[in-house]
Structure formats: structure tokens, C-alpha cells
Amino acid sequence: MKNLGYYNGKVGLIEEISVPMTDRAFYFGDGVYDAVMCRNNIPYLLCEHINRLYDNCHLLGINPPKGKEELSHIIKELCPLVDGEEKFVYFHISRGSGIRNHAFVDGPGNLCITIKEQRVDPVYEKMDLCTTEDHRYGYCNIKTLNLLPSVLAAQHFKNQRCGETVFIRDGYITECSHSNVSILKGKELITAPADRHILPGVTRAHLINHARKMGIVVREEKYTLDDLYDADEIIVTSSSKMARGAKKLNGKPVGGRDKHLLEALQAAIYDDYLESTTKKQ
Ligand code: PLP
């Protein structure tokens, strides 16, 4: 198949699967989602992403329709049905169904999965970034379906012919429209603290671990736009970007002052992806 949609057990092309109007994702964005890259039909870091999804369900009182093991099994069964070597697997659980009414319905939630062919970003190619105010609400730590500010920020970077928009809240850098952002400065890795203003990215966590293993000091601290301009390197992380450097910020040259360390961290992340998704003989 060229792509795949799954909705509560129904499987077909994404363009052909329909979702009932009663689904609360439709009216309220009342649900949580996650996504992984998949290579050779091996979904990468699936367990960590499923754990985050279920933690998020728990935080919002959403009742998942399947257990974690069952969801993992469904995703692994569906991946080989889609053509291609590398795929992007998206999955969400909405709170459930009912006639429109803000207060909760009793579960179970609805499970939606989409799979499409997609390559990871060219990891070693540097990106151009732009900035905007972070107008998101206070649940950025939960990966909810309410993505309007991120949608606007994504259109902003597209209009600016950039690769990502960096959010600034009260003078401090939080993250990007759909990635985390960290900096290298004086051989230290600085990244915004995992509070309610950022999504605690799985790739960010791996970046931190790799950095610590390499003996790099990691500071989970607030930093500013000036720090970003001043960074030795900027690192943008997400499941599909892995870890990419940046060469321009709002049209001004940035980074390029610690190529060696940047590439060592990028290699640690990208090589783990390649190794973990290589079929064992
Ligand atoms: N921050 C936001 C707002 C995101 O939407 C994402 C991914 O979709 C990330 C960070 C990166 O998270 P991960 O590394 O788990 O893909």
C-alpha cells in the first residue's frame, strides 16, 4: 500500500478511512498523539513513545482502548503493509465519542494510526531557523492534538523559507514548532528545562544521554535569544529530524564553531537509529 490509515480496527488508505463526527478529536482536539520513525519495518524507540502516549493519557484522564503491548503489536503488524524502506508512523488516542459537549464522556478512547513513506531528514545538513512568540498554553509537556499555535508556527517557517520556528516565551527559548532546540557553548550542552513549557522529546533525552556519556556537561537551564545567536552550535532534535545543526537564525549566520562536537553527537543519535533498525541475520 502507498500509505495506511487505521481507525478502531478498520484498515485502508488514509484517504479512504473516515472518522465519525462524534469523535472528540474532531471538535475539541481532545486526545494525545505520538509518532516514530520506522526503518526496515522496525519502529524505532517504539516503547519509549508508547510509554509517553500512555503517560499523557493518564495525565488527561483518557482511557486507552488497548494496552501498551497490544498497541505495539498492532503497529508492528501494520508497518510491513506500507511500501518503502523508511516510514513515519503516527498514532493518536482521542478521549472517545459523543454528541458535542465539553465535559468528558466515559471511554474507551478511539485509536487512530497513519503510516506513510518518509525518510528521516538529512541529519548533517544544517537548517535555517526563524523565531516567533510562544503563544501556546500551559500544557506543552503533554503531546495533545491541540496544535493550532504549532500549525501557525510551521506556516511561519514555510513563509520564511526556513526549516523550523523557534518559540520564545517571556524572553527565553522554549522549543520549536515540532522539535526541541538545544545549544553547545564552551563544550557544554544547554537545553531548556523539561517543565510545562516544552515537550520532553525522546530525541532530546537521547541527546542528553549521549552528551553525558561523552563527558559533556549538560545544563537543563533557561537560555535567551542572544544565547542562541551566540551558541557555538545549535541542535534541533526530533524523531524525524534526529539532530540537525543550524546555519542561520532570522537570516543571520549562527553556529559553525564546534563542528567536531556537533557531528559527534549527531553520529551518536543517527548511528543508533541505523543500528537499531538494521535486521539481524
Ligand atoms: N517538541 C514538540 C513541540 C514536538 O511536537 C516534538 C515532536 O513532535 C518534539 C519536541 C520532539 O519530540 P521527539 O524527539 O519525541 O520526536
Side-chain angles (χ1 to χ4, degrees):
M1 297 171 80
K2 72 170 166 116
N3 66 42
L4 180 148
Y6 168 106
Y7 184 73
N8 287 344
K10 267 187 292 177
V11 177
L13 288 172
I14 294 173
E15 299 91 324
E16 287 168 7
I17 295 279
S18 55
V19 174
M21 281 182 77
T22 46
D23 192 313
R24 289 175 63 89
F26 176 56
Y27 296 112
F28 304 117
D30 188 0
V32 291
Y33 76 103
D34 224 294
V36 294
M37 287 303 302
C38 171
R39 185 172 159 269
N40 295 322
N41 292 319
I42 303 170
Y44 181 55
L45 302 176
L46 183 59
C47 191
E48 284 173 55
H49 287 267
I50 287 184
N51 281 340
R52 180 169 67 185
L53 180 79
Y54 280 67
D55 288 349
N56 286 336
C57 281
H58 181 72
L59 286 169
L60 296 179
I62 291 174
N63 181 8
K66 310 269 180 210
K68 289 184 189 180
E69 288 291 316
E70 208 181 338
L71 175 57
S72 167
H73 180 74
I74 292 171
I75 289 173
K76 285 179 188 162
E77 295 265 292
L78 294 177
C79 281
L81 302 180
V82 178
D83 308 329
E85 187 198 354
E86 276 186 304
K87 298 162 202 175
F88 185 76
V89 183
Y90 165 92
F91 38 103
H92 84 218
I93 296 178
S94 76
R95 187 180 302 281
S97 305
I99 300 293
R100 187 177 183 278
N101 178 25
H102 287 61
F104 291 5
V105 284
D106 291 331
N110 298 311
L111 174 62
C112 167
I113 303 171
T114 62
I115 306 176
K116 60 173 184 171
E117 188 172 9
Q118 184 178 314
R119 306 203 71 83
V120 292
D121 274 25
V123 178
Y124 298 101
E125 228 172 77
K126 286 195 161 183
M127 314 166 68
D128 290 353
L129 304 173
C130 52
T131 54
T132 194
E133 272 302 306
D134 191 344
H135 291 303
R136 298 173 304 161
Y137 64 0
Y139 296 108
C140 301
N141 55 317
I142 307 177
K143 210 163 161 57
T144 80
L145 299 177
N146 299 115
L147 289 175
L148 188 57
S150 304
V151 167
L152 297 176
Q155 187 59 37
H156 178 61
F157 76 65
K158 194 174 165 195
N159 292 342
Q160 302 287 315
R161 298 183 198 288
C162 290
E164 248 298 15
T165 301
V166 180
F167 284 130
I168 306 171
R169 185 188 290 263
D170 300 332
Y172 293 100
I173 304 301
T174 52
E175 56 177 338
C176 299
S177 73
H178 46 258
S179 7
N180 293 112
V181 59
S182 309
I183 56 175
L184 287 174
K185 183 73 190 171
K187 305 287 175 204
E188 293 184 347
L189 179 77
I190 304 164
T191 190
D195 56 19
R196 65 195 175 88
H197 296 310
I198 71 155
L199 183 82
V202 169
T203 323
R204 172 185 174 276
H206 282 258
L207 177 74
I208 290 174
N209 286 343
H210 288 303
R212 288 202 169 119
K213 275 192 213 148
M214 289 177 193
I216 300 168
V217 171
V218 178
R219 293 201 278 126
E220 290 187 67
E221 284 171 12
K222 289 180 167 188
Y223 65 94
T224 64
L225 182 59
D226 284 345
D227 295 327
L228 207 54
Y229 279 119
D230 221 32
D232 294 339
E233 299 288 353
I234 297 175
I235 313 179
V236 179
T237 53
S238 78
S239 297
S240 60
K241 289 190 183 64
M242 303 278 144
R244 291 186 63 186
K247 60 182 186 322
K248 275 192 180 167
L249 178 63
N250 294 329
K252 294 183 192 154
V254 284
R257 295 189 209 122
D258 205 340
K259 186 173 183 285
H260 181 71
L261 198 48
L262 171 67
E263 288 184 357
L265 287 164
Q266 288 177 307
I269 286 184
Y270 190 49
D271 293 353
D272 183 64
Y273 165 68
L274 294 180
E275 274 162 34
S276 307
T277 55
T278 297
K279 285 218 169 86
K280 310 277 178 289
Q281 298 303 322

